[in-house]
Structures are given as structure tokens and as C-alpha cells.
Amino acid sequence: MKKSILLMLLISPSWAFQSSSLRFPTISNPFTRCSLRRHSRSIGIHGRTVNSDLIPKEIQSLVDSLEAVKLLPRIKENNKSTEDLNGLAVIDPKTKPTFRRLFTHETWKLHIGGSTLHRWIRCMISTPSSVILRAVAKSVFFLSIWAGLAASFAPKLMGSALSSQLQDQSLPLSLCGNAIGLLLVFRTNESYKRLEEARELMEKVVHLSGEIVSLLVSAWEPHNPGETQSVKTSTVASVGRYLSAFAWSLRDELRDGDTRDDVLNILLPKQEAKWVASQRSRALALHGQLRRILFQEWKSGRCPDQVHFHIETQLNLLSSVAATCERIFTSPIPPTMSRHGLRSMTLLMMALPVALSFSVPPIVNIGWTAAIGFIYLGIDELGVQVEQPFRVIPMWQLCQLVQEDILEFSLHPLELQPIV
């Protein structure tokens, strides 16, 4: 009996951290990084919890503000259909994986799980809900009508003598198709390079925000009791607020129609929120505020030189990320190339049914024109949809990740307080 009790005490050391009063925010978004681990923190890992008596009022206010931002609706009620967000159709991540949502283990199972035959059947069944098909359906329908007219009237208008000479037009069509295909592939590749760069930049925002808070927390009072060089709790809370507002403001600048003044009003004092909202670049205004408050902390001697140096390095990188995002947003792929590719593709699509009308039946002509039009227009649409990459990146979820990292790093010293 004594051995059993001793064994239970050895495998359950978490009893020392239990508390009857919890003030830790629940993180239950199923589409965020490490969602299972983060969700377990809301009830404590292995019984480890945060005593509300140990949370300073400034940090508790930060927790409440971040939770209030999290509960805000994703888009404002403006009598618009939620089936079309920023010009792109919304896909339910529970039924079809999409780049507009962060993947989890369940999403990967939907995306690549099962046999090859199962994935192929699932893809074919979901064709009617294809985003690309919706985008090019009207153009393909127009080409089909044109193919039917060309197949019916072109042989009659040109006469039998000329029609016999135009039966084989495979060589010019092949040359034109190859050239246009190369142009489309080049343009689409450039678009996806922009998407990859933009996604890396937003991940840097998440990483740098966490790094700045982590560095600041390393010199915070609860973690260094009795130290003369110790950052004020109010500074930690203010930095957390500014970094969260920075992420949301950068999102607002890069997404059309998503400006969220309500986020600023929750995170910042009223007058300061109004001032930030009036700036050309809200993100840079908040970045300047971050730099000023941290400089004052270093100047007063509360922030060690080494910590301030490393934080300043992260702030430089964060400013560079904002500038690069602005470059991507304001500098598209040269529109001349896009227009030339579309005009060339239009010539090919208009000539194709005329050339086929002398060698295939009308129904076959319509079918081939519709199929080739869907392929070429679909490739062009793939590039168009991601050329402005911030429309398809899951910005809302990434901003939530920034808040979660700020929250975790801010509460780490408080969790460790009982065993110091």
C-alpha cells in the first residue's frame, strides 16, 4: 500500500501547481498551429495552471483585450454574401482543403489521405464546386457558343475548294499553343513566387513578434525578483498590445475592405487608437511606438543593454518585413505581359474552332474547344488568383497566432513563479 502511494506521488508531481482559481484564456481555434498543444494549456499541462493571484493587473488586462479581439467577427456585416470573400470563393476546410486556412493533421488527411484512386474520385466528384471552374465557366460557355457557330457556318462561307485546303491546320495551332503555354507557365510561376514570399513574410511577423516578447520577458520582474535591471510589467503589456495591433494593422493594409478600427479601439487607448488610424501606414506608426517605449525602458536602466540590442535587431527585421510586404502589394507582375498573354490566348481560342470545323463534326468541335479553353483559361486564372498573394494567405489566423504567442510568452514567468 505504501509503495502504491509513493508511486502515485512520483508520477504526479503536478499537484504542487494546482489552483482553484484560473484566469487563463481558452484557445480553441482548430485551425491554428499546434492547436492540440495550445488547447491543452487552457486547462493546464499535466495539471499545471496559472493562479489568478499571480497575474498582474496589466497582464490580466492584456489577456482580456486579446480575448476580446479574438471574439470579434471575421468580417463586418455589410449585407454581402459570405460565399465570396475578397473576390475569391470561400471553401469549407472541413470538406475541401484550401490554402486560405492553416492545415492541421485532419486537413492533411483530407488533402493526401487515402489511396490514389480515392483521391482521384474525390477530386472528380468535387469538380462542380471547383474555384477555377466557377471563375472561367462564363468564358468557356462563350467559347462553346462560338465553336458551334464556327462549325456550322465556316465551311459554308469559305466554299468547298477553300475548305479542302484548310483541313489540316495542326502545325500553326501547335506553334501558337506552345508559345502561349510557355507564356502562361512563366506568368503563373511568377505569381506563385510572390505567394511563397508573402507567406514567408507573414511567418516572420509571427516569429519576430514572439521573439520580441520572449526577449523582453527574460528581463521582466516576475522572472528576476530583486534585480535592479528589470522591465516594468506595464511595458510588457504595452509591447504585447502594440505587436498584436501591428499584425492586425499590417493585415488591414494588405487586404481590401478589411480595415478593423475596432481592433485598435480594444488594444489601445482611445486617443492613441484615433491617432494610429489617421496615419498613412498604421503598422509603421505602431512600430515607431514600440521603438520609443523600449528605448525609454533602456534609457531608464531597467532594460539590460544586451536585451535591448537584440530586441532592436528584431524590430529592424520587423520593419523590413512591413516594407517588403508593401513592395509586393504595390508592384504587380508587369500588366503588359498579362494583357499580351490574354490577347494571344483569345486569338488561339477564336481560331481553334474555325480550323477544326473542316475536319471534325460540330459536336466534337464544341467539346474540344471547351476542354482546351478550360485548360488554358484555368492556368491563367491560377496565376491571377494568387498574384495579389495577401488575398489568399490566411491572414486572420496568422494574426491569431501572433496573439497566442504573445499570450504564452507573457504568462510563462507566471506559470514558473511557484517553483522559483
Side-chain angles (χ1 to χ4, degrees), residues 177-178 180-181 184 345 348-349 372-380:
N178 291 338
I180 296 171
L184 289 177
M345 188 166 48
L348 176 64
M349 292 296 101
I372 296 174
F374 171 73
I375 294 172
Y376 274 80
L377 292 172
I379 295 174
D380 180 69

Side-chain angles (χ1 to χ4, degrees), residues 30-182:
F31 302 107
T32 55
R33 182 184 62 189
C34 304
S35 59
L36 295 179
R37 176 178 64 84
R38 294 175 184 270
H39 182 67
S40 66
R41 288 176 54 89
S42 65
I43 58 175
I45 299 179
H46 304 301
R48 191 179 77 189
T49 57
V50 182
N51 191 331
S52 62
D53 296 333
L54 300 176
I55 301 181
K57 61 179 182 180
E58 296 90 346
I59 301 300
Q60 184 60 55
S61 177
L62 172 64
V63 170
D64 295 339
S65 297
L66 295 182
E67 187 67 17
V69 171
K70 181 181 177 181
L71 295 176
L72 290 174
R74 291 195 58 177
I75 54 177
K76 295 180 180 179
E77 297 295 334
N78 52 7
N79 298 324
K80 285 187 177 182
S81 172
T82 56
E83 296 180 356
D84 189 13
L85 185 61
N86 292 323
L88 296 177
V90 175
I91 299 176
D92 184 2
K94 295 181 180 179
T95 58
K96 185 186 293 186
T98 169
F99 194 80
R100 295 177 63 86
R101 299 290 184 272
L102 297 180
F103 271 38
T104 63
H105 293 295
E106 290 75 15
T107 318
W108 278 111
K109 290 178 182 178
L110 285 173
H111 183 48
I112 59 175
S115 64
T116 302
L117 178 61
H118 180 264
R119 291 196 303 271
W120 178 75
I121 293 175
R122 186 174 59 199
C123 181
M124 292 299 101
I125 292 176
S126 63
T127 299
S129 62
S130 167
V131 174
I132 299 299
L133 180 59
R134 294 180 188 179
V136 304
K138 294 180 180 179
S139 300
V140 172
F141 180 71
F142 169 78
L143 290 174
S144 300
I145 295 177
W146 168 250
L149 294 175
S152 301
F153 297 104
K156 297 178 182 179
L157 294 176
M158 295 186 179
S160 58
L162 186 59
S163 298
S164 61
Q165 300 177 9
L166 297 176
Q167 288 185 355
D168 187 10
Q169 298 296 316
S170 58
L171 179 60
L173 290 176
S174 177
L175 292 175
C176 291
N178 291 338
I180 296 171
L182 287 174

Side-chain angles (χ1 to χ4, degrees), residues 215-227:
L215 286 167
L216 191 63
V217 163
S218 67
W220 182 23
E221 292 169 355
H223 202 64
N224 299 285
E227 291 287 340

Side-chain angles (χ1 to χ4, degrees), residues 212-213 216 234-244 290 293-294:
I212 292 172
V213 176
L216 191 63
S234 59
T235 300
V236 176
S238 296
V239 168
R241 290 176 181 276
Y242 284 132
L243 285 172
S244 178
L290 273 169
I293 191 175
L294 290 170

